[in-house]
Amino acid sequence: DALVITMCPPPPTRYFGFSTYVWRRQSRVVSATCANNPLNSRTMRGGYPAFDQPTVLVSTGDLATFDAVSTAFLAAGVPVTALNLEQLAVDRVSFGRSILDRADDLTFSFRVYDANAREYAKQTWTSVMLLRSPRGGGRSLQPLVAITATPPSPKRGIPVNELRLEMAASFLQTSVENKVIAAGFRVTTRASSMAPVDVDRDKCLATGNYSPFRVGGARDVNIQSGCFGETRDCTYTMSPESIAGDKPFLALFTGADSVKLGNAAFANLAAYHTGGALSLVSAAAVRVAAFADHRMWRREDENNLFAHAFASPGLCRVFDDDPDVSCVEVAPAPFNDLFFIGRAYLDPSTGTAPNAEELLPVTVTYFAPE
């Protein structure tokens, strides 16, 4: 069988990408990508940018199925460049071999960067049609011609190695920290780096207690969904600590603007409420409390650095006279903690996630009013 989607990609934008996930295996939610290849605005068969042209996306682990679907669309006059294959990994997806061996439940995500919309807006996609293969689709069937996994492309250096900016970023961090302290704040947690989230997708599917996002500021959140819906063309970082979400605070982030440097298609920071006492049981109550992306980072200097803050209502006033430091207010949530996740999507030179080893770690410092 295959999931087949026909669509026109969005108008010119920095990024869009497709991902099929194993949402649930048996009774366990894993939310892990199950394809061998990232499929996005850089890797589309029609070339980049693949905007405003007919596109057919076929997600399958069976090469014979892909050939049959392709033949049908070619006969209908669809150009061959419109046909895109997402290779489902047959060794990582359970298609079910018996009544007792239940097939995985799959789900699908389409992400798009929209410069004119809320970064985290979610929309329901109602134009979905599921068809059963004429072969019968019995659970005992295996792919007729299994797709051989495409070997991962070798790591390539990103356009600009950001680690050389460490000293300049440290100077910026100290400068803005002094400004915040002079405005009547005290440091509650000294500067520390956002830590990269290292995801082992095979472990997500095979190991029941593996949860790579349950680290740092989210270490006490019972994230049962394994890989938390991550995607292959994004690098994730996690705040080292969480803070009380119902007490006045200011969190200062400094780092390199990876988009201006050409190392990412877009980047963002998001503040999350843990969900209170429910977080000890599940991550179902985790909510985005506030977010910011690279469009807000207006600092102009030769190093392409940024400084951004999240703060309790009324505390962004510290930066009223400093347009180079963007600030977003976070509404308080009783009995909730806050943690932060950073994302850098799509290395434009490879079509995959930016290499975390070459990105300058974002630094975060927490303050409270005196």
Side-chain angles (χ1 to χ4, degrees):
D1 291 347
L3 171 65
V4 181
I5 295 175
T6 58
M7 62 181 294
C8 283
T13 186
R14 285 187 169 273
Y15 166 85
F16 63 83
F18 307 90
S19 295
T20 299
Y21 295 87
V22 173
W23 173 56
R24 184 165 55 194
R25 172 164 290 178
Q26 303 297 340
S27 60
R28 184 171 67 93
V29 175
V30 293
S31 196
T33 54
C34 57
N36 289 321
N37 59 316
L39 199 57
N40 54 50
S41 46
R42 276 290 182 186
T43 61
M44 297 285 284
R45 192 174 183 180
Y48 180 87
F51 304 116
D52 292 329
Q53 56 184 287
T55 297
V56 179
L57 172 66
V58 184
S59 298
T60 183
D62 186 352
L63 190 58
T65 298
F66 177 68
D67 288 343
V69 172
S70 298
T71 298
F73 276 98
L74 291 172
V78 174
V80 66
T81 54
L83 300 171
N84 292 273
L85 170 64
E86 185 187 37
Q87 306 167 6
L88 298 189
V90 295
D91 58 337
R92 299 177 66 240
V93 180
S94 175
F95 294 97
R97 294 176 176 82
S98 68
I99 295 177
L100 298 178
D101 181 18
R102 185 173 182 269
D104 290 337
D105 292 330
L106 305 184
T107 188
F108 179 83
S109 173
F110 173 56
R111 292 179 171 89
V112 59
Y113 169 87
D114 185 346
N116 300 310
R118 284 172 52 90
E119 181 73 29
Y120 285 89
K122 293 184 177 181
Q123 297 180 347
T124 301
W125 196 352
T126 57
S127 56
V128 175
M129 176 175 60
L130 300 176
L131 296 177
R132 175 60 69 185
S133 164
R135 293 194 285 127
R139 289 186 172 183
S140 62
L141 290 178
Q142 294 300 300
L144 295 176
V145 184
I147 296 173
T148 303
T150 302
S153 57
K155 281 190 175 182
R156 296 168 51 186
I158 56 179
V160 178
N161 191 320
E162 297 178 5
L163 300 183
R164 65 179 178 80
L165 302 174
E166 185 175 1
M167 186 175 296
S170 178
F171 179 82
L172 172 62
Q173 168 205 319
T174 301
S175 174
V176 181
E177 279 185 4
N178 290 338
K179 179 184 181 69
V180 175
I181 293 171
F185 288 75
R186 57 182 173 84
V187 174
T188 57
T189 304
R190 297 236 165 244
S192 54
S193 297
M194 300 274 284
V197 178
D198 185 16
V199 178
D200 185 326
R201 296 176 181 87
D202 289 325
K203 277 190 175 181
C204 278
L205 293 169
T207 307
N209 60 357
Y210 177 67
S211 186
F213 282 87
R214 195 173 182 181
V215 295
R219 68 173 65 90
D220 294 326
V221 180
N222 192 3
I223 300 173
Q224 299 173 339
S225 56
C227 282
F228 212 43
E230 60 83 36
T231 182
R232 285 179 176 270
D233 47 21
C234 181
T235 295
Y236 300 83
T237 56
M238 180 76 72
S239 61
E241 303 289 342
S242 61
I243 57 176
D246 54 359
K247 296 180 180 178
F249 79 95
L250 187 149
L252 173 65
F253 297 80
T254 55
D257 188 336
S258 298
V259 176
K260 281 186 179 178
L261 290 167
N263 296 334
F266 79 96
N268 61 44
L269 291 167
Y272 289 81
H273 282 136
T274 58
L278 288 176
S279 65
L280 299 175
V281 179
S282 120
V286 171
R287 294 289 183 270
V288 176
F291 62 88
D293 63 48
H294 68 271
R295 293 171 296 176
M296 300 180 65
W297 303 334
R298 299 181 294 271
R299 176 176 294 276
E300 296 290 344
D301 62 31
E302 60 182 9
N303 293 314
N304 292 311
L305 301 174
F306 78 89
H308 175 80
F310 290 103
S312 298
L315 299 187
C316 280
R317 66 178 185 275
V318 174
F319 305 110
D320 284 350
D321 61 347
D322 189 353
D324 286 342
V325 182
S326 53
C327 188
V328 173
E329 294 186 348
V330 182
F335 311 111
N336 269 257
D337 286 342
L338 273 172
F339 65 92
F340 302 87
I341 294 180
R343 295 173 175 83
Y345 279 91
L346 194 64
D347 177 350
S349 65
T350 65
T352 59
N355 185 356
E357 295 177 359
E358 295 182 332
L359 298 180
L360 181 68
V362 172
T363 298
V364 56
T365 307
Y366 298 125
F367 303 84
E370 289 284 10

